[in-house]
Amino acid sequence: MANTRGEVVYKEPLEETTSSFKDFLALIKVGIVNSNLITTFTGLWLALYFSGKSFLDYIDIICYTIIGSGLIIAGSCVINNFYDKDIDQIMERTKTRPTVTGKVTMFQALSLGIGFIALGTIMLLMASVTAAVIGLIGVFSYIVLYTMWTKRQYTLNTVVGSIAGAVPPLIGWTAIEELNLIPWILFLIMFIWQPPHFLALAMKRVDDYRKAGVPMLPVVHGFNITKRQIIVWVACLLPLPFYLFSLGIGFVVLATILNVAWLILALIGLKMKNDIKWAKWMFVYSINYLTILFVAMVAFSII
């Protein structure tokens, strides 16, 4: 815009808008939302593939499911931020969250979280009742069983939190088909994947969790026990790809290579002296593992 002398004056509303948008993404934990939507879509896609149904014929159900899942996951994360404000302000990783900085009030966060969950549930009901029920089970397990109960009291919190992270493939599948063995294998993959992923993160951020008084396994029992538990969890993934043999031998081979490589990396941790560096490797590998594995499920069903 121009001032009274006709000179052009540039204001910077874009920076504020961008900052507000980043705050919103932090509030809903967009990384968690995105990763869970990948597994939700995989559940949808495989249900269509194994039932011989057309993607385009179910495009409305697919949209309801993806949007609804995204909303209930985002809403659950917002309420997690609302409830955890007291410990988030202590931890370096979380002290810039908008609920801590005050950019989002507690009332706004709670209202947004409840609103997202309610709207998401309605969307899932438009897909199927079963999908909506499973979605609410995930919401309850994340908010009540994990955030409000086990996170601050038990090292088992990581396992309990894994329930919520494992239900998205079930939501996707039940929007199209009734449950059978395949979606439960997807559930197990997600359930077993999460402890080694989050235990590696807990090792990276052990000082943060210790300062905040969160009883993560490496805080309470140390790195050695944590590394041994990670090895056990990763080893439990080894047989699961064979239950998805109907996706083809190529998928089974790829998934097995990913599992064996992860197990080898986990075993390296027993000898490696730099525990934090090893934990970073494990954390990065786990993210890539999940993305490659679930994208491969879709890809091998197309080939």
Side-chain angles (χ1 to χ4, degrees):
M1 62 179 291
N3 61 16
T4 54
R5 292 179 293 177
E7 298 171 341
V8 176
V9 178
Y10 291 97
K11 294 191 175 181
E12 298 183 350
L14 183 59
E15 183 178 345
E16 183 178 346
T17 302
T18 304
S19 178
S20 298
F21 183 63
K22 287 182 178 179
D23 286 337
F24 173 74
L25 295 181
L27 186 66
I28 67 171
K29 300 186 180 181
V30 68
I32 292 177
V33 174
N34 288 340
S35 62
N36 279 279
L37 286 183
I38 291 174
T39 63
T40 303
F41 178 79
T42 301
L44 273 164
W45 181 269
L46 292 183
L48 291 168
Y49 170 73
F50 284 110
S51 63
K53 295 175 179 175
S54 168
F55 181 89
L56 293 179
D57 288 345
Y58 283 81
I59 193 67
D60 55 338
I61 300 298
I62 292 167
C63 290
Y64 293 144
T65 307
I66 294 297
I67 296 171
S69 298
L71 285 170
I72 65 168
I73 296 165
S76 299
C77 289
V78 172
I79 293 180
N80 174 270
N81 279 335
F82 163 82
Y83 192 83
D84 280 352
K85 178 185 176 182
D86 59 329
I87 59 176
D88 282 347
Q89 60 191 354
I90 298 172
M91 301 173 65
E92 287 295 321
R93 182 173 63 91
T94 57
K95 68 180 183 181
T96 58
R97 285 179 176 168
T99 43
V100 176
T101 60
K103 292 181 179 180
V104 175
T105 68
M106 291 295 95
F107 176 78
Q108 289 172 331
L110 184 60
S111 300
L112 185 65
I114 294 173
F116 274 5
I117 292 171
L119 183 57
T121 302
I122 293 171
M123 297 291 285
L124 288 178
L125 281 169
M126 296 172 72
S128 82
V129 173
T130 307
V133 170
I134 292 174
L136 288 175
I137 291 172
V139 169
F140 177 80
S141 65
Y142 185 68
I143 294 175
V144 178
L145 299 183
Y146 171 67
T147 301
M148 295 182 177
W149 179 34
T150 59
K151 181 175 181 178
R152 301 174 186 233
Q153 297 187 51
Y154 307 106
T155 57
L156 199 64
N157 58 16
T158 306
V159 178
V160 173
S162 297
I163 298 171
V167 300
L170 298 183
I171 296 174
W173 183 281
T174 55
I176 305 295
E177 277 289 303
E178 297 296 319
L179 287 171
N180 58 36
L181 178 62
I182 292 174
W184 284 115
I185 294 301
L186 300 183
F187 174 89
L188 281 175
I189 290 172
M190 285 302 303
F191 180 79
I192 295 170
W193 170 84
Q194 287 174 93
H197 170 77
F198 285 109
L199 288 176
L201 175 63
M203 287 179 65
K204 284 176 56 185
R205 302 290 183 177
V206 65
D207 291 335
D208 261 2
Y209 285 115
R210 183 178 291 114
K211 188 165 55 175
V214 179
M216 299 299 288
L217 189 67
V219 173
V220 177
H221 296 294
F223 285 175
N224 286 335
I225 287 181
T226 302
K227 287 190 284 187
R228 289 200 292 271
Q229 287 207 13
I230 286 175
I231 291 169
V232 172
W233 283 107
V234 173
C236 287
L237 287 168
L238 288 171
L240 296 183
F242 294 93
Y243 290 95
L244 299 175
F245 189 82
S246 50
L247 288 175
I249 186 65
F251 171 78
V252 175
V253 170
L254 173 62
T256 301
I257 291 172
L258 288 172
N259 285 337
V260 171
W262 199 7
L263 182 59
I264 291 171
L265 183 59
L267 290 168
I268 288 173
L270 294 176
K271 297 294 184 180
M272 191 167 173
K273 294 182 179 180
N274 191 332
D275 292 326
I276 300 302
K277 185 176 182 179
W278 173 81
K280 290 178 180 178
W281 288 355
M282 289 292 290
F283 182 75
V284 171
Y285 187 95
S286 68
I287 294 173
N288 287 292
Y289 170 93
L290 184 69
T291 304
I292 294 170
L293 189 68
F294 275 80
V295 170
M297 291 179 193
V298 176
F300 278 96
S301 69
I302 297 174
I303 297 174

